[in-house]
Amino acid sequence: MKKVYTKIFSITLIAILSVMLLLPYSVNAATVEDSAVQPRWYDPTGSWPGYLFLTLDNATSSWNHGHAGIGGDNGQTIEAYGGVGVRIYSNGYNTNWKDCTTGGIYRVNGATTSQYETAKNYAYSKVGTPYSTNLLDGESTFYCSELVYKAWKEAGITIGTNVLGLITPNSIMNHNNTILVYSF
């Protein structure tokens, strides 16, 4: 009888230890990131410097072309809109993104903290630049997803598919270098 209890105890102990060893990985699996800037999973209104804000929602046409922005400091987002150009939106998540039903916040696969900073700083440097969908104007105007794409291009990473000069939020969302970390 003692052998049976010892065997049951040993099996139970092994099972408990196995669960304890795996628990940190299974509980935190969704939050494991590379060495890049860590997302604030518990607070979607926090800062997401260099992260991509992407949606297919739009209110300007029947084609769901969507919208794109890039996270700045202190809850800001940097975005390009028709009529106003590239602007900083304070607490951007709560203003421009709170009603989105598609997309989310994306990280860039394999990016370093330095690359997140470079992308964010590039976007900040374009504040005040006019808006345009002219695909041939280089750096003198931007549309939303072009700003995000070029910010990350400046950081050395391609995050979308450039088709005849056009970058869409959808091409960034579905690129193999972008990973959804917070769904709208």
Side-chain angles (χ1 to χ4, degrees):
M1 193 65 158
K2 187 177 178 182
K3 261 184 165 177
V4 172
Y5 285 124
T6 304
K7 191 170 188 173
I8 291 172
F9 176 77
S10 296
I11 291 171
T12 305
L13 185 60
I14 289 170
I16 290 170
L17 289 173
S18 297
V19 168
M20 288 175 65
L21 288 172
L22 295 175
L23 189 60
Y25 298 104
S26 63
V27 168
N28 295 323
T31 63
V32 173
E33 291 285 308
D34 58 22
S35 61
V37 178
Q38 297 298 309
R40 297 188 181 184
W41 290 88
Y42 58 90
D43 181 12
T45 62
S47 288
W48 298 77
Y51 277 71
L52 316 170
F53 285 68
L54 302 165
T55 184
L56 297 180
D57 297 357
N58 67 293
T60 59
S61 74
S62 59
W63 173 50
N64 286 342
H65 54 78
H67 185 59
I70 189 165
D73 295 319
N74 304 314
Q76 296 175 332
T77 55
I78 304 106
E79 304 170 44
Y81 276 105
V84 295
V86 179
R87 288 187 47 193
I88 297 170
Y89 291 88
S90 295
N91 203 9
Y93 178 84
N94 281 334
T95 55
N96 297 342
W97 301 93
K98 68 178 178 153
D99 295 326
C100 292
T101 60
T102 63
I105 302 172
Y106 292 72
R107 73 174 173 90
V108 177
N109 192 25
T112 65
T113 301
S114 175
Q115 287 172 307
Y116 277 90
E117 285 294 310
T118 298
K120 175 195 72 172
N121 291 337
Y122 177 90
Y124 273 127
S125 77
K126 300 306 176 188
V127 170
T129 304
Y131 180 92
S132 175
T133 55
N134 181 349
L135 306 180
L136 304 173
D137 64 359
E139 301 280 316
S140 62
T141 64
F142 289 92
Y143 59 92
C144 65
S145 47
E146 177 188 28
L147 174 67
V148 173
Y149 174 83
K150 286 187 176 179
W152 274 96
K153 196 76 164 164
E154 180 74 12
I157 298 178
T158 300
I159 59 162
T161 304
N162 184 333
V163 179
L164 302 174
L166 179 65
I167 302 295
T168 65
N170 191 39
S171 78
I172 297 172
M173 290 169 75
N174 293 306
H175 196 269
N176 61 355
N177 280 339
T178 60
I179 298 170
L180 180 68
V181 295
Y182 180 81
S183 183
F184 294 139

